[in-house]
Amino acid sequence: MSHPVERPRRLRNSPALRNLVREVDLHPDNLILPLFVTWGRDRKEPIASMPGVFRHSVDRLPDILSESWEAGIRSLLLFGIPERKDDNGSEALNPDGPVPQAIGAIRERFPGFVIMTDVCIDEYTTHGHCGLVSGDRIENDPTLDILAGMALLHAQAGAHVVAPSDMMDGRVGAIRRRLDENALTDTLILSYAVKYASALYGPFRDAMMSGPQFGDRCSYQMDFRGRREALREARLDMEEGADMLMVKPAIAYLDIISQVSEISDLPVAAYQVSGEYSMIMAAGANGWIDTDRVMIETLTAIRRAGAQMILTYFAIRAARLLRS
């Protein structure tokens, strides 16, 4: 009987050995917590399709922020839900809106956080699209001025990073120019450079109450059957002045994360989106999977694919598990 010459199993013989030779580390510093900030006071509203996730009014943020800090999370991404919506998303430019208020409150009470803000008008419009609408057409160029104004508002309120998620052509350049013209050259742009028109966003639209009222978002978000377009979009955003690039969603697009990280010398982020989160939570609740093990496995896979940063609703839970 011949015996194998190569024995890779030697390197797996104990937890200490496996840890010694591991190629990828997952750390709380890699995780970014998305937060839904709503109008009003004393509001903490559960989101039925996202177990354990809530909409918070600004005065209720300290509880979740304290949890985040104690778990080791140091970065947040804020999404705003206004009291009023209109066709033009006017509340996106309101300096007293939920996001500017939240930025100020966080800077005052929790100055150690890196504060990122979503820059998109879908949650501020009655039609639920990421751009201004003319008939059944989503207008690109007229939307850029609103996005640049929204980014400026967030930066002036104290955001460290603005993150345009709209997928309008040229928006990174428009935002960079507006920030620089207002002496905000240190404000970073995390571009949703590669955002696919995915069916995995359903629970998020419940959370934001921002589903499109007609048509879909396929004319501006990317076709999930494409790869080359992703690399083109990433290169364009790099040329326009992005400081970091994001791929969204994550688990079904590990190949795209890998390829974007290979062509870019910028930090790459990936967003484990609401549908990915809710599927894991639902399967765990039914006893079909071990929620924590799948959570860590999928987050590690995203890191292994090339993402330095991961936006995930599991951020606090994962950070606690990693630190334990």
Side-chain angles (χ1 to χ4, degrees):
M1 178 180 177
S2 62
H3 297 282
V5 176
E6 297 288 340
R7 293 184 181 271
R9 285 185 55 189
R10 290 186 189 121
L11 295 172
R12 307 175 203 146
N13 276 337
S14 71
L17 267 174
R18 292 192 292 272
N19 287 336
L20 182 67
V21 301
R22 66 183 179 266
E23 297 177 50
V24 178
D25 249 339
L26 182 66
H27 190 274
D29 285 342
N30 303 126
L31 306 178
I32 301 168
L33 176 66
L35 283 176
F36 301 118
V37 186
T38 191
W39 57 277
R41 291 188 58 80
D42 198 29
R43 303 182 72 178
K44 182 180 179 181
E45 303 167 346
I47 300 161
S49 56
M50 299 178 70
V53 180
F54 300 83
R55 304 181 195 94
H56 305 265
S57 56
V58 173
D59 62 304
R60 294 295 298 271
L61 284 175
D63 289 346
I64 187 73
L65 294 173
S66 295
E67 278 188 65
S68 302
W69 190 263
E70 289 167 7
I73 299 298
R74 299 293 181 261
S75 300
L76 315 165
L77 178 66
L78 305 180
F79 294 89
I81 304 168
E83 183 176 7
R84 294 175 295 277
K85 302 186 180 191
D86 59 30
D87 288 349
N88 298 319
S90 303
E91 283 296 302
L93 301 177
N94 181 358
D96 295 319
V99 171
Q101 286 189 42
I103 295 168
I106 296 168
R107 291 288 297 249
E108 181 179 352
R109 294 193 57 180
F110 298 89
F113 278 113
V114 174
I115 304 171
M116 307 178 176
T117 63
D118 181 74
V119 175
C120 190
I121 65 171
D122 60 329
E123 60 263 42
Y124 296 91
T125 61
T126 49
H127 49 72
H129 278 287
C130 299
L132 297 176
V133 170
S134 177
D136 60 356
R137 177 180 172 81
I138 313 303
E139 297 288 352
N140 191 95
D141 294 4
T143 304
L144 300 183
D145 188 56
I146 296 178
L147 296 172
M150 188 178 179
L152 177 62
L153 177 69
H154 293 177
Q156 289 174 330
H160 303 100
V161 184
V162 292
S165 63
D166 54 285
M167 290 299 287
M168 298 294 119
D169 293 338
R171 86 270 202 222
V172 171
I175 290 170
R176 186 73 270 164
R177 287 189 295 274
R178 186 69 61 87
L179 294 174
D180 291 353
E181 289 166 359
N182 287 271
L184 289 162
T185 55
D186 287 340
T187 304
L188 291 90
I189 299 176
L190 166 58
S191 171
Y192 287 65
V194 182
K195 182 178 180 180
Y196 284 91
S198 173
L200 291 165
Y201 303 145
F204 176 90
R205 291 172 183 172
D206 290 344
M208 300 296 290
M209 298 169 284
S210 64
Q213 298 303 299
F214 67 90
D216 54 39
R217 294 175 175 167
C218 293
S219 69
Y220 46 100
Q221 294 178 0
M222 288 178 47
D223 190 319
F224 67 85
R225 295 168 292 188
R227 176 186 63 84
R228 291 187 182 91
E229 187 180 23
L231 305 183
R232 182 185 182 195
E233 290 278 10
R235 289 189 180 102
L236 285 171
D237 285 1
M238 291 163 61
E239 292 168 4
E240 290 180 22
D243 299 285
M244 299 177 279
L245 305 175
M246 188 193 299
V247 177
K248 180 181 180 182
I251 297 174
Y253 298 89
L254 296 179
D255 58 325
I256 305 300
I257 297 169
S258 177
Q259 290 174 52
V260 169
S261 68
E262 287 175 4
I263 68 162
S264 172
D265 56 3
L266 299 180
V268 174
Y271 200 143
Q272 187 182 50
V273 299
S274 59
E276 295 169 308
Y277 169 85
S278 294
M279 286 192 295
I280 294 170
M281 290 294 287
N286 279 283
W288 300 333
I289 61 171
D290 182 319
T291 303
D292 284 344
R293 290 186 64 188
V294 173
M295 170 185 69
I296 295 298
E297 184 177 342
T298 54
L299 292 173
T300 303
I302 297 165
R303 282 278 290 136
R304 190 181 65 237
Q308 290 102 314
M309 302 165 284
I310 306 171
L311 293 98
T312 176
Y313 303 97
F314 282 122
I316 294 175
R317 180 170 179 164
R320 285 174 172 160
L321 189 59
L322 291 168
R323 295 186 77 178
S324 70

